[in-house]
Amino acid sequence: MRDLLPKQDTVDMETVPTRAGYDRWAEFYDSEDNPLAFLEEQHIGALVGNVAGLKEADIGCGTGRHALRLAAAGAQVTAVDFSEAMLDRARLKPGAAAVQFVRHDLAKPLPLESAAFDRVFCCLVLDHIAALDNLFLELKRVCRPEGSVIISVMHPAMSLRGVQARFIEPHSGRRISPAGYAHQLSDYLMAALGAGLLLACISERRVDDELAAHSPRAAKYLGWPMLLLMKFHPKALRREL
C-alpha cells in the first residue's frame, strides 16, 4: 500500500532507502487515505476464492492487511516483509497469532520451502523491487504446481502522472518517498513468463466515482488507470522425448 503524490508536489520530497522509508511510515501507515489499497480491495477477491484449509504466502505483507484476512478465512499463512517496524504493527493486530511472520529482504532468495504454498501473494510491492526476474523466480518456486501467484501493483500509467509512493511525516511535516522503480507492464509480464509462469488473468482498474467519493486523494485521478492485477499459474515443464 502507498499514498500517491503528483509530480508537481515532489520538489521538497526526500527519497530514502525503501526499508528505511517503510520503517518510518509504519506507525501511521494504516490510518492514511490510501486509494490504491481501497481499489485493490474492491477487485482482488475475485482472484482469491475460498482459502479455507490452504497454505498461503504473503510476500511483502506490510502491516498484515492480506495475511490477517487470509488467516481469518481459515488459511495457514506465512507472511514475509523486510521492515521490522511494519511487522511489529502487524503482530499487534487481532488474529496475528495465527500468522507466521518472517522478516526477510525480498531481494534475496525467500526462506520458504519449494512448492509449499497453494497461493502466493505479492501485493503493492513490485514497484520497490529492482530485480523483478529474481523475485518472480522465487514466487514460482514456492508455489505448488497446481497453485497460483496473485500480483497487485500500482499501474505503470500512474508514472506518467508523476505519481510515486510517499507519505508526510507527522512530527516533521516532511514528504518522504521510499525508493522505487518505474517498471512498465511489459517488465512485469516478461519477468513472470521468464520465470515459467502462465498468465491466467490480467486486469487494469481505474478510479471511478465510487472510489473518488470514498477517497478524496483519488478524485484527481478520476478515469485514470491506477491498479494492475495479475494472476499466474506455474507452467508445467515439458518432458524431453
Side-chain angles (χ1 to χ4, degrees):
M1 297 186 292
R2 73 283 323 281
D3 194 4
L4 305 175
L5 181 68
K7 188 173 183 178
Q8 60 267 25
D9 293 336
T10 64
V11 176
D12 299 324
M13 187 165 60
E14 176 188 357
T15 299
V16 300
T18 308
R19 181 186 299 174
Y22 279 92
D23 281 345
R24 292 165 68 174
W25 201 348
E27 182 179 355
F28 49 92
Y29 186 80
D30 291 322
S31 62
E32 292 195 315
D33 175 5
N34 193 324
L36 189 60
F38 297 150
L39 187 59
E40 184 207 59
E41 290 165 8
Q42 291 178 7
H43 299 288
I44 198 170
L47 302 182
V48 178
N50 182 12
V51 301
L54 301 182
K55 291 188 67 175
E56 314 284 285
D58 185 6
I59 308 303
C61 66
T63 60
R65 183 169 59 100
H66 289 297
L68 295 170
R69 289 176 183 172
L70 293 168
Q76 181 181 343
V77 182
T78 300
V80 181
D81 202 275
F82 69 170
S83 168
E84 188 64 42
M86 299 290 275
L87 290 173
D88 285 345
R89 302 297 292 185
R91 294 186 183 108
L92 292 174
K93 294 181 178 180
V99 178
Q100 180 184 3
F101 289 103
V102 178
R103 183 179 181 273
H104 183 75
D105 185 348
L106 301 189
K108 300 177 180 179
L110 297 173
L112 305 175
E113 293 183 8
S114 297
F117 297 94
D118 298 289
R119 290 186 180 84
V120 178
F121 294 82
C122 190
C123 295
L124 305 185
V125 171
L126 290 179
D127 51 341
H128 292 299
I129 302 297
L132 291 176
D133 292 348
N134 293 341
L135 183 54
F136 270 96
L137 283 168
E138 284 296 286
L139 298 178
K140 194 256 187 179
R141 179 184 66 80
V142 303
C143 187
R144 289 175 175 165
E146 68 279 10
S148 57
V149 176
I150 297 172
I151 303 288
S152 70
V153 68
M154 185 171 69
H155 198 291
M158 293 299 287
S159 65
L160 300 177
R161 299 284 298 266
V163 173
Q164 61 193 92
R166 66 88 173 159
F167 60 93
I168 298 177
E169 203 167 44
H171 68 272
S172 68
R174 299 176 68 182
R175 301 180 187 273
I176 309 295
S177 175
Y181 302 89
H183 299 306
Q184 301 304 310
L185 176 57
S186 59
D187 296 327
Y188 297 124
L189 292 177
M190 293 307 294
L193 294 174
L197 292 168
L198 287 174
L199 180 64
C201 179
I202 184 169
S203 61
E204 301 168 285
R205 300 297 178 176
R206 300 174 181 273
V207 177
D208 57 17
D209 290 330
E210 180 181 356
L211 178 63
H214 181 65
S215 170
R217 288 176 175 166
K220 68 183 71 174
Y221 306 110
L222 189 64
W224 198 261
M226 179 176 281
L227 178 72
L228 179 65
L229 286 170
M230 296 171 283
K231 183 176 182 178
F232 299 93
H233 297 302
K235 184 185 343 185
L237 296 176
R238 294 182 179 178
R239 294 182 179 178
E240 295 294 335
L241 297 179

